[in-house]
Amino acid sequence: MIKFTILHSTLVNWYLFALSMILCLMHGLGFYGFGNDFYASYSGQNLRWGGIFDIVGFAITTLFIFDIHLGVYLTTFAIMFSFGYFAKSFCLSIKRDPKHSVILVLLYGHAWPIFMTTSNAMRQGLAMAVLFLVLGFVLSSNGPTLFRKMLILPGIFFHKISPIIIGVVLLTGNRTKKQLFLLGIIGLILLISFQSSGGYSGERRSIGINLTPILLLISTFTIVTFFLKLKKRKIFSKIIISLNFLYILSIPFLNTWQSERIGFSIIIPTIFYLSLLLKRRYIIPNLYFFGITLITLSWSVGLFSSFK
């Protein structure tokens, strides 16, 4: 069995911190450019838009101090470092060198689901950062302690999808299959109720090209694995399956771009989860492969063509 010392793990934390700082500086200084959502919403200064589940997210992402847009730096650092922590915890949970997490940040940090939230849909990036942080806690040896749960609760107010995703994560835990099914029914009732009240009115459209069929296929396959008996990381597995179940439930009731945002928010953790179906020695190479594939698809289909 491979063992990694506390010093080794701490060193990886510093690598991730340094890389996150470099990437947040590159994004903040406009090296990559910014998308349409940024110019329409997040380029404003110290905005207090939206309801209770939006206002904190807007306050952070549009934070200006001395004419410096700190919100871009904070959002980028938050999502990069939290994803790095999740990737590191995942590597340690499968007894693999946590230094792989540094390369995984470089790969997935330049793919559509993360990249678009650092320079475009920034409040969603904050919501994803909380999700990565929670999943990292779940995979770590100490698990999601009370202190850690209290730490992530403020994330509920970052974006409309935050309370839904965080609620699923916190409620899943060690639930049985029957309890998970009941949670799904409750979620469906809430979605129907919210939709019937006009909460998701408007013309159905995609964020860019319609990727719902692909996301739906991946989520369906993920849910099928619900019937497999994975002996390790049971809580992590149940959380990912529950989130994909939630995404599929959302499709009939949300506008396409709204349900797609849920799908994009969970696609990377889902890829990590599905890699667990492979033999251990193939897991990290598989994650590298899908990271490169996501980057290639993201740039080849012109998903960042609006950046300027």
Side-chain angles (χ1 to χ4, degrees):
M1 180 180 294
I2 302 175
K3 293 184 178 180
F4 301 100
T5 65
I6 296 177
L7 178 61
H8 185 84
S9 179
T10 303
L11 187 61
V12 173
N13 287 339
W14 281 108
Y15 288 154
L16 292 172
F17 179 84
L19 178 58
S20 300
M21 286 295 295
I22 292 171
L23 291 173
C24 87
L25 287 173
M26 293 176 69
H27 280 278
L29 294 173
F31 178 80
Y32 296 103
F34 299 96
N36 292 331
D37 282 1
F38 174 83
Y39 291 108
S41 302
Y42 301 109
S43 58
Q45 297 189 19
N46 302 316
L47 300 179
R48 298 293 186 271
W49 288 357
I52 187 172
F53 296 122
D54 296 296
I55 191 168
V56 175
F58 272 115
I60 294 174
T61 55
T62 63
L63 177 63
F64 270 78
I65 297 180
F66 301 120
D67 290 327
I68 299 175
H69 193 170
L70 293 181
V72 178
Y73 298 92
L74 292 173
T75 303
T76 304
F77 180 84
I79 191 168
M80 294 299 180
F81 189 75
S82 62
F83 173 67
Y85 174 73
F86 161 67
K88 174 197 160 188
S89 299
F90 183 88
C91 291
L92 288 173
S93 74
I94 60 172
K95 305 298 188 294
R96 287 294 180 264
D97 194 328
K99 284 189 288 189
H100 287 295
S101 61
V102 178
I103 302 175
L104 291 171
V105 170
L106 277 173
L107 290 175
Y108 288 88
H110 288 85
W112 165 267
I114 290 181
F115 192 89
M116 281 297 290
T117 63
T118 57
S119 304
N120 199 40
M122 294 168 58
R123 285 183 303 115
Q124 182 180 341
L126 291 176
M128 289 174 62
V130 174
L131 175 61
F132 286 136
L133 195 63
V134 173
L135 294 177
F137 290 158
V138 169
L139 289 169
S140 68
S141 57
N142 296 325
T145 62
L146 178 61
F147 171 76
R148 289 176 170 182
K149 288 182 179 180
M150 294 299 294
L151 185 65
I152 58 120
L153 282 179
I156 292 175
F157 306 102
F158 289 163
H159 191 279
K160 289 185 180 70
I161 66 172
S162 297
I164 300 174
I165 291 177
I166 294 175
V168 168
V169 171
L170 295 181
L171 289 173
T172 300
N174 288 308
R175 299 294 192 276
T176 64
K177 291 184 178 182
K178 289 183 179 180
Q179 289 172 323
L180 289 176
F181 180 76
L182 179 60
L183 285 175
I185 296 299
I186 294 174
L188 178 60
I189 294 173
L190 290 174
L191 284 171
I192 294 174
S193 301
F194 198 70
Q195 202 280 338
S196 63
S197 66
Y200 297 118
S201 58
E203 181 184 357
R204 298 185 69 85
R205 60 181 177 84
S206 297
I207 297 174
I209 61 175
N210 187 1
L211 296 176
T212 295
I214 297 176
L215 294 172
L216 181 59
L217 179 63
I218 295 172
S219 289
T220 302
F221 178 75
T222 301
I223 292 173
V224 170
T225 66
F226 183 68
F227 302 99
L228 300 178
K229 294 183 178 180
L230 295 178
K231 296 181 180 180
K232 297 181 180 180
R233 295 165 291 278
K234 288 184 178 180
I235 297 179
F236 174 68
S237 302
K238 288 180 179 179
I239 288 174
I240 299 303
I241 292 171
S242 299
L243 288 173
N244 278 273
F245 187 39
L246 171 70
Y247 164 65
I248 291 179
L249 286 177
S250 73
I251 293 176
F253 304 104
L254 304 187
N255 198 311
T256 304
W257 67 269
Q258 291 167 323
S259 62
E260 280 181 349
R261 289 204 166 177
I262 296 178
F264 286 133
S265 296
I266 65 175
I267 185 63
I268 291 179
T270 299
I271 290 174
F272 276 66
Y273 161 72
L274 292 176
S275 70
L276 294 175
L277 303 178
L278 304 173
K279 291 184 177 180
R280 185 179 297 178
R281 66 177 179 271
Y282 298 129
I283 293 178
I284 297 299
N286 175 73
L287 292 178
Y288 285 161
F289 170 76
F290 275 102
I292 294 171
T293 301
L294 277 177
I295 291 176
T296 303
L297 290 175
S298 299
W299 292 89
S300 63
V301 300
L303 293 176
F304 306 119
S305 58
S306 64
F307 276 45
K308 54 187 177 181

